Amino acid sequence: MTQMSLMSSPTSSPINASSTVNEPSGVAFVKGGKRKRLSKACDACHKSKRRCDGTAPCSNCYFASKECTYTDSAGRPVPAPRNAHPALGADPAATDRAARPQAPSGSYRTHVAGRSDPTIEASTSRGVRRPAEAENTISKRPRPEPLGVTITNPLGSASPVESPSSPPSPLLDPATTHELTNLFFTHCNPARLIIHKPAFSAALAHEQIPSYLVLAVCANAAPHSKELGAKAQMPRLAGVQFFQAAVSIMFDSSFRLLAEPNLYTAQALCLLEMHEVAASHAWTKHYRYFDLALQILEESLDIANPDQDQRSPASGPADRSRSIQRECTRRCFWLIQLMSWINGIYTFRAMRPRCVELMRQVRLPCDETSFELAVENQGPEFMHTPGPRTKYASQFGHLCRVLSMYQTFETALANKEGAELQYAVAEGKRAVDIWTNSLPDHLRFTEENLDKQLEMFETSSNTGAWCFCFMHVLHPCLVLSLVETEGGSQREESIDWVRNQLKLIFAAIGHRAKNTILFIQ
């Protein structure tokens, strides 16, 4: 989206009125290689006579959620033709698809992503099965205590993984940690939406946070440090060293996940992906770290199950802590969807069917005040229902709603025409009207509300203000897209309204706009 120039007063919405350059190593970039003829397609593609890209899983099986296997003419399992590590020239999109761990089976499948383990290849090709412990999926393992435990690899390796009490990374000296964690909570939206700052700060002071999560936080915050930014080739690459240190702790040399599948790991994977997006400007990439995080959320943290025990205001510290962890789990899921919607706005990709299904089951995040103070709000919000018009309405939830509308319409605009497109326009306008009417008074766009939100931008408790500004940047852009597609006399009026609202927001935010990746488009 393009930032426009500004300073007039906002008017009402017209809809409501009428009804890669070469980059340094260490960061993943999306570059496609020349297509070569394969000597072997996977079994599913061979049977359906479809073109196969030779990875495990291949793109056809990945998007169809099918098991992807390769066998020779005698029916014996064989490796996929293309299994090179990204650093050795593999197709990054293919390695991103393989990033999610898959349960072992009798036929050959890559374990996580990138390079396959030779010992696994040898044992599976001879028909030797792994130990029973290795065949257990994440969801079948007992859920560990989150703090101060000895962690073993849940995905099949016997090697231990660091616990929060293990020695910290040499990169995390106290001064650096203090600076970067504070910069993270001040500037790193939307990444900071998934972490409860008071709980994180208290646990960090008692050395109860795994160093890989602290490193992932620092990787996102480093570009905002003047000292680290000056040392890097360009400021957005200032966090690469922290990113690489976190990856080296969480994964082995074959890119198999070693970290325990808990909330800390899911948060760290989300932050690693956010760093990759910011460092490489790869808005349309396949999100391999998000894929791993989503698997942990669904299989180990039971994100699809509704919360059975609603905490009462008189509940104790244990219930309050469990409620915070559950909210952080949901926020990881919605951050992944938020980035997928932004991806879809530019690539016109539809959301994955499983994610669409989960979005109807998983509660939207609560409002930012209730989240930070760990108080119970009036009730859950869901994606498929209008938000409540109360002071407890979720800012993050309304941002998700407007992004979903925007991505849905842009996908329809790219793939439909004629009567179908006109129907999509009508549905888009109706959805925008419903969303606008559901906004409570304090979340409607007025100069008074904008001034109140700007006061919070001066603090590290600015997630609500950021969501407010971003959703009111997206809203006029969506309206303009709808009006331009429909045509008619409202176009000029819409352009003036969009220009005025964007001018007002960006003039008010000022230099803070450059501190979030979502305003640099």
Side-chain angles (χ1 to χ4, degrees):
M1 105 194 30
T2 305
Q3 175 178 342
M4 300 181 176
S5 340
L6 351 166
M7 242 19 208
S8 1
S9 60
T11 63
S12 60
S13 164
I15 283 192
N16 294 335
S18 64
S19 17
T20 109
V21 184
N22 291 334
E23 300 282 1
S25 59
V27 183
F29 296 92
V30 181
K31 295 181 180 179
K34 294 182 178 179
R35 182 180 295 276
K36 297 180 180 179
R37 186 175 182 84
L38 288 176
S39 59
K40 173 66 182 172
C42 74
D43 297 341
C45 291
H46 178 74
K47 183 176 180 180
S48 59
K49 301 187 184 305
R50 301 184 67 180
R51 176 175 289 177
C52 182
D53 59 20
T55 59
C58 71
S59 58
N60 296 328
C61 293
Y62 175 76
F63 287 107
S65 299
K66 294 181 178 179
E67 181 178 7
C68 188
T69 59
Y70 292 82
T71 55
D72 60 16
S73 57
R76 294 170 297 195
V78 296
R82 293 177 179 167
N83 271 327
H85 191 272
L88 302 178
D91 178 9
T95 57
D96 290 339
R97 290 192 301 272
R100 293 183 61 165
Q102 305 187 35
S105 63
S107 53
Y108 181 89
R109 301 171 74 181
T110 54
H111 187 61
V112 174
R115 208 164 41 204
S116 56
D117 189 334
T119 60
I120 298 175
E121 293 182 27
S123 61
T124 52
S125 63
R126 291 192 300 267
V128 179
R129 297 185 62 82
R130 295 184 181 182
E133 179 184 355
E135 295 193 10
N136 288 336
T137 61
I138 295 176
S139 57
K140 293 181 181 178
R141 293 181 60 84
R143 194 171 302 164
E145 293 296 325
L147 301 177
V149 295
T150 302
I151 303 172
T152 56
N153 179 2
L155 301 179
S157 169
S159 59
V161 178
E162 68 157 14
S163 68
S165 59
S166 62
S169 166
L171 293 172
L172 299 177
D173 62 86
T176 301
T177 303
H178 179 261
E179 177 193 10
L180 295 183
T181 52
N182 279 282
L183 286 173
F184 174 80
F185 287 108
T186 302
H187 297 303
C188 294
N189 283 302
R192 64 142 301 174
L193 283 162
I194 66 174
I195 295 181
H196 185 255
K197 182 190 174 187
F200 180 89
S201 300
L204 182 63
H206 292 86
E207 299 182 350
Q208 294 175 331
I209 302 290
S211 61
Y212 59 79
L213 177 55
V214 183
L215 286 164
V217 166
C218 292
N220 283 268
H224 303 291
S225 168
K226 292 183 179 179
E227 180 181 358
L228 294 174
K231 293 178 180 178
Q233 183 177 357
M234 53 187 71
R236 63 186 173 89
L237 300 179
V240 169
Q241 57 180 331
F242 300 98
F243 169 86
Q244 291 175 336
V247 169
S248 69
I249 294 172
M250 298 179 69
F251 298 89
D252 66 9
S253 59
S254 297
F255 206 78
R256 289 175 301 184
L257 183 64
L258 299 176
E260 184 74 12
N262 55 25
L263 176 59
Y264 287 141
T265 300
Q267 289 173 323
L269 289 168
C270 288
L271 296 182
L272 291 178
E273 197 69 81
M274 295 301 294
H275 171 270
E276 286 241 271
V277 170
S280 64
H281 283 185
W283 285 89
T284 58
K285 61 176 287 187
H286 292 276
Y287 298 133
R288 58 177 173 177
Y289 297 111
F290 277 164
D291 282 348
L292 280 171
L294 190 59
Q295 184 182 7
I296 291 174
L297 294 175
E298 187 173 1
E299 297 181 5
S300 182
L301 300 180
D302 299 323
I303 188 65
N305 292 337
D307 298 330
Q308 300 297 330
D309 49 345
Q310 295 294 325
R311 179 171 54 83
S312 65
S315 58
D319 291 331
R320 187 177 294 258
S321 177
R322 186 161 51 248
S323 177
I324 291 172
Q325 291 180 13
R326 193 65 181 168
E327 175 67 15
C328 290
T329 302
R330 288 191 292 268
R331 284 171 173 254
C332 287
F333 172 80
W334 288 110
L335 176 67
I336 294 171
Q337 306 316 314
L338 180 148
M339 296 302 292
S340 297
W341 281 317
I342 294 173
N343 185 315
I345 289 172
Y346 295 104
T347 63
F348 317 122
R349 294 192 188 112
M351 301 294 286
R352 296 180 188 174
R354 179 54 180 161
C355 289
V356 173
E357 180 184 351
L358 287 173
M359 282 189 281
R360 297 187 64 85
Q361 302 173 22
V362 180
R363 289 169 50 181
L364 285 168
C366 66
D367 67 285
E368 299 308 304
T369 299
S370 298
F371 177 50
E372 185 159 333
L373 299 182
V375 296
E376 194 71 15
N377 59 18
Q378 290 187 339
E381 294 183 37
F382 290 91
M383 189 70 185
H384 56 280
T385 59
R389 296 192 61 183
T390 70
K391 63 180 180 180
Y392 296 106
S394 169
Q395 300 93 330
F396 194 175
H398 277 295
L399 175 58
C400 289
R401 290 185 179 98
V402 72
L403 270 170
S404 175
M405 291 187 294
Y406 203 163
Q407 183 269 339
T408 299
F409 178 69
E410 290 297 325
T411 303
L413 184 61
N415 298 311
K416 297 180 180 180
E417 55 185 19
E420 289 186 344
L421 181 57
Q422 292 305 314
Y423 177 78
V425 171
E427 285 296 298
K429 293 176 68 174
R430 187 179 68 86
V432 170
D433 282 340
I434 293 174
W435 176 78
T436 304
N437 293 329
S438 72
L439 289 175
D441 291 340
H442 70 287
L443 292 183
R444 292 180 179 274
F445 186 78
T446 65
E447 291 190 49
E448 181 182 359
N449 284 340
L450 180 60
D451 289 339
K452 290 180 180 179
Q453 300 294 341
L454 290 176
E455 292 176 1
M456 297 305 295
F457 256 118
E458 301 291 344
T459 72
S460 58
S461 299
N462 55 26
T463 50
W466 182 85
C467 289
F468 175 89
C469 291
F470 189 46
M471 70 184 182
H472 286 298
V473 165
L474 290 168
H475 174 218
C477 294
L478 172 57
V479 168
L480 183 61
S481 184
L482 287 165
V483 171
E484 287 193 332
T485 303
E486 185 181 38
S489 58
Q490 287 187 334
R491 184 176 181 277
E492 291 302 321
E493 180 186 352
S494 299
I495 291 176
D496 291 339
W497 171 73
V498 169
R499 182 183 295 115
N500 291 339
Q501 183 156 318
L502 293 181
K503 280 183 178 181
L504 199 61
I505 293 175
F506 282 106
I509 295 175
H511 69 277
R512 301 182 194 91
K514 67 180 177 62
N515 291 331
T516 167
I517 58 175
L518 296 182
F519 282 120
I520 306 174
Q521 300 182 42

